[in-house]
Amino acid sequence: MDIVIFGSGNAAAVLGRKFKAAGHTILQVYSRNAAAATELAYEWNSESTNYKSTINKNADVYIIAVNDEAIGEITDGLKLPGKVIVHTAAAVPKEILKTVSEHYGVFYPLQSLRKEMITLPEIPVFIDGSDEFTKKKLESLAHSIANEKVVHAGDDARMKLHVAAVVVSNFTNHFYTLAEEYCRKEGLDFKLLIPLIEETASRVKNVSVKEVQTGPAFRHDKETIKKHLELLKNHPQLKNIYLLMTESIQQTT
Amino acid sequence: MDIVIFGSGNAAAVLGRKFKAAGHTILQVYSRNAAAATELAYEWNSESTNYKSTINKNADVYIIAVNDEAIGEITDGLKLPGKVIVHTAAAVPKEILKTVSEHYGVFYPLQSLRKEMITLPEIPVFIDGSDEFTKKKLESLAHSIANEKVVHAGDDARMKLHVAAVVVSNFTNHFYTLAEEYCRKEGLDFKLLIPLIEETASRVKNVSVKEVQTGPAFRHDKETIKKHLELLKNHPQLKNIYLLMTESIQQTT
């Protein structure tokens, strides 16, 4: 397919690479950040612009991959009748695009995307469309980069998925951050925790996460919990979280 | 080396396999659970026993890989003069072993170990010994299964590492559990979150976790947070955690 991408950040860059790798053509990259757009356009043998008036009208699909707040600035005054236009946001209703074309929808990649990624990760894609034409088009585009991991999901389901994604990714990364900070302050090498971090995540594929829960909280091991809290007395933020998580684990088991 | 293992649970099984793979001989497996000991002994071409009086006295190293509370039952009445005896517990001082031999120490594997593991994970090992002889022996044994990831750590450092391990593994797994439960209740497919879980963990190797923190809390995106809390109104446990984590992320950034 011929694609125009709005945006030059993490989602735009990684999705664009996925599209290129799947054999699609990126006709144009639009961004307020001219330098970033030029760089991506060069990588994709494409064109770049930072003027909405010069948007190429010949693409099949237009993808707005920008921050939630910036979607409105892109759609403002944009008219692409007969074309399929989507955004990539979890938390924005698809109707924000209905002034642009009758064929509007969402193309939500459920993954943590970073421009600097060397290996492109697997990206499940959740799609939604205003009509059958849009849905079919997006389904085909999504399958080309996500194989079997393509799911139809409306605004409500997408928002719920986003909550789950925040929990397993943003919150988890915050634990890594707190643990790194704790190790630094205590003179321990955080890097030695990496095999454990990887094992904990990778086993999710093969086991029931509920059944592999372990640890002092799970075992109601009051002695160890007491010792841990004593060690955390100079780390109030982590101590607070330790208490809540211990309580929550014991509530679940 | 010639090794005797006390225990037949997760740590005993996985460490034993690592020792076998590194070319060591497991002379004997002791466990109150005779069936489990027999099974491991069969796997390792070893012997099993559930009588302390029949412990083989010819090994170089004796490894107690049982629950913290059960260590005392093993050491009670056990005498192995001249031999190296260790336990594998993070939260138990090494002095618990001093009645067994003058050469006592700790061999703490910083990893989540499960008997059912098909692929043996990388296991950093933290060692401690009562004297140079013990330390050298354990260093050599640890290097044979953990390559470069061998660190000397006393009781205090080991306990602190355990706190960090609980945070990045037990607490993280609890998030996975809560997210799975949430998905089940909301009719979403938890399995579609697996690529995100894996990416979040695997990038720890390459990036500063603090610098890749994203999400509504990090962005102070009040609109999205409000929508998420609304979606969590029937999930009080997760909502409570969502609030605390959001607050903690905002406190850090």
Side-chain angles (χ1 to χ4, degrees):
Chain A
M1 292 186 200
D2 290 344
I3 299 169
V4 167
I5 293 180
F6 295 87
S8 58
N10 291 320
V14 179
L15 284 177
R17 281 173 202 154
K18 280 271 186 182
F19 293 139
K20 282 296 283 185
H24 301 291
T25 301
I26 297 170
L27 288 185
Q28 200 178 34
V29 184
Y30 167 92
S31 176
R32 285 177 303 185
N33 181 337
T38 306
E39 204 174 341
L40 289 179
Y42 181 78
E43 180 184 327
W44 298 332
N45 194 21
S46 174
E47 284 177 4
S48 68
T49 179
N50 56 344
Y51 294 102
K52 259 199 280 182
S53 56
T54 62
I55 290 299
N56 188 315
K57 303 288 168 100
N58 300 316
D60 301 296
V61 180
Y62 293 76
I63 297 179
I64 304 179
V66 301
N67 292 339
D68 294 9
E69 316 78 59
I71 296 173
E73 295 170 33
I74 306 262
T75 58
D76 187 32
L78 187 69
K79 300 285 173 196
L80 295 164
K83 303 297 181 182
V84 170
I85 178 134
V86 296
H87 68 62
T88 58
V92 179
K94 66 176 179 300
E95 273 66 34
I96 194 173
L97 304 175
K98 69 180 176 192
T99 56
V100 181
S101 165
E102 67 278 31
H103 305 306
Y104 58 91
V106 177
F107 193 95
Y108 170 52
L110 183 64
Q111 185 50 284
S112 177
L113 305 175
R114 292 176 309 110
K115 225 177 186 172
E116 299 76 22
M117 282 174 160
I118 295 158
T119 314
L120 297 183
E122 202 181 8
I123 309 179
V125 178
F126 293 81
I127 54 175
D128 191 14
S130 58
D131 53 24
E132 275 308 304
F133 174 79
T134 308
K135 284 178 187 171
K136 288 282 175 231
K137 198 77 140 188
L138 295 177
E139 206 171 298
S140 161
L141 182 64
H143 273 293
S144 73
I145 66 162
N147 299 317
E148 302 307 304
K149 294 194 163 44
V150 177
V151 180
H152 285 269
D155 290 341
D156 192 49
R158 204 168 60 248
M159 181 70 95
K160 288 176 181 171
L161 279 161
H162 190 221
V163 172
V166 163
V167 173
V168 300
S169 181
N170 301 154
F171 291 178
T172 297
N173 192 72
H174 183 56
F175 279 162
Y176 301 158
T177 305
L178 292 175
E180 185 177 46
E181 177 80 357
Y182 171 78
C183 285
R184 197 180 52 71
K185 284 183 184 164
E186 297 289 349
L188 306 168
D189 183 2
F190 175 70
K191 288 213 177 308
L192 291 166
L193 291 164
I194 291 177
L196 176 61
I197 288 172
E198 290 189 318
E199 170 61 24
T200 304
S202 74
R203 71 184 177 192
V204 173
K205 278 199 298 272
N206 308 312
V207 302
S208 152
V209 287
K210 188 166 182 181
E211 280 166 28
V212 295
Q213 185 69 48
T214 59
F218 181 80
R219 290 193 303 273
H220 293 259
D221 175 352
K222 282 180 195 161
E223 270 307 302
T224 302
I225 293 168
K226 208 175 119 193
K227 290 181 198 167
H228 284 181
L229 290 172
E230 177 64 22
L231 289 174
L232 289 171
K233 64 171 188 261
N234 296 321
H235 306 269
Q237 190 181 358
L238 192 50
K239 185 175 175 180
N240 199 17
I241 282 174
Y242 189 100
L243 283 166
L244 182 94
M245 292 301 291
T246 296
E247 195 186 308
S248 182
I249 289 169
Q250 296 186 341
Q251 203 177 320
T252 307
T253 54
Chain B
M1 292 186 202
D2 289 343
I3 299 169
V4 167
I5 293 181
F6 294 86
S8 57
N10 291 320
V14 179
L15 285 177
R17 281 173 203 155
K18 280 270 186 183
F19 293 138
K20 282 296 282 183
H24 301 291
T25 300
I26 297 170
L27 288 185
Q28 199 177 35
V29 183
Y30 166 92
S31 176
R32 284 179 303 185
N33 182 338
T38 306
E39 204 174 346
L40 290 179
Y42 181 79
E43 180 184 326
W44 299 333
N45 195 21
S46 175
E47 284 177 6
S48 68
T49 179
N50 55 345
Y51 294 100
K52 259 199 279 182
S53 56
T54 62
I55 291 298
N56 188 315
K57 300 288 167 100
N58 301 314
D60 301 295
V61 180
Y62 293 76
I63 297 179
I64 304 178
V66 301
N67 292 338
D68 294 9
E69 316 78 59
I71 296 174
E73 296 171 33
I74 306 260
T75 58
D76 187 32
L78 187 68
K79 300 286 174 196
L80 295 164
K83 302 299 182 180
V84 170
I85 178 133
V86 296
H87 68 62
T88 57
V92 178
K94 66 176 177 301
E95 274 66 32
I96 194 172
L97 305 175
K98 70 180 175 190
T99 56
V100 181
S101 164
E102 66 278 29
H103 305 306
Y104 58 91
V106 178
F107 193 94
Y108 170 51
L110 183 64
Q111 184 51 282
S112 178
L113 305 176
R114 292 176 308 110
K115 225 176 187 173
E116 300 74 21
M117 281 176 159
I118 295 159
T119 314
L120 297 183
E122 202 180 10
I123 308 179
V125 178
F126 294 81
I127 54 176
D128 192 13
S130 59
D131 53 25
E132 274 310 303
F133 174 79
T134 309
K135 284 179 185 169
K136 287 284 174 232
K137 198 78 141 187
L138 295 177
E139 207 171 298
S140 161
L141 182 63
H143 273 293
S144 74
I145 66 161
N147 299 318
E148 302 308 304
K149 294 194 162 47
V150 178
V151 180
H152 285 269
D155 289 341
D156 192 50
R158 203 169 60 249
M159 181 71 94
K160 287 176 180 170
L161 279 161
H162 190 221
V163 173
V166 163
V167 174
V168 301
S169 181
N170 301 154
F171 290 178
T172 297
N173 191 72
H174 184 54
F175 279 163
Y176 301 158
T177 305
L178 291 176
E180 186 178 44
E181 177 80 355
Y182 171 78
C183 286
R184 197 180 52 72
K185 284 184 183 163
E186 296 291 349
L188 306 167
D189 183 3
F190 175 71
K191 289 215 175 307
L192 292 165
L193 291 164
I194 291 176
L196 175 62
I197 288 172
E198 291 189 318
E199 169 61 24
T200 304
S202 74
R203 70 184 179 193
V204 173
K205 278 199 300 271
N206 309 311
V207 301
S208 152
V209 286
K210 189 167 183 180
E211 280 165 28
V212 295
Q213 186 67 49
T214 58
F218 181 81
R219 290 194 305 273
H220 292 259
D221 176 351
K222 284 180 196 162
E223 269 307 302
T224 301
I225 293 169
K226 208 175 118 192
K227 288 180 200 167
H228 284 180
L229 291 172
E230 177 63 23
L231 289 174
L232 290 170
K233 66 172 187 260
N234 296 322
H235 305 270
Q237 189 181 359
L238 191 51
K239 185 176 176 180
N240 198 17
I241 283 174
Y242 189 100
L243 283 165
L244 182 94
M245 293 302 292
T246 296
E247 195 186 307
S248 182
I249 289 169
Q250 295 185 343
Q251 202 176 319
T252 306
T253 53

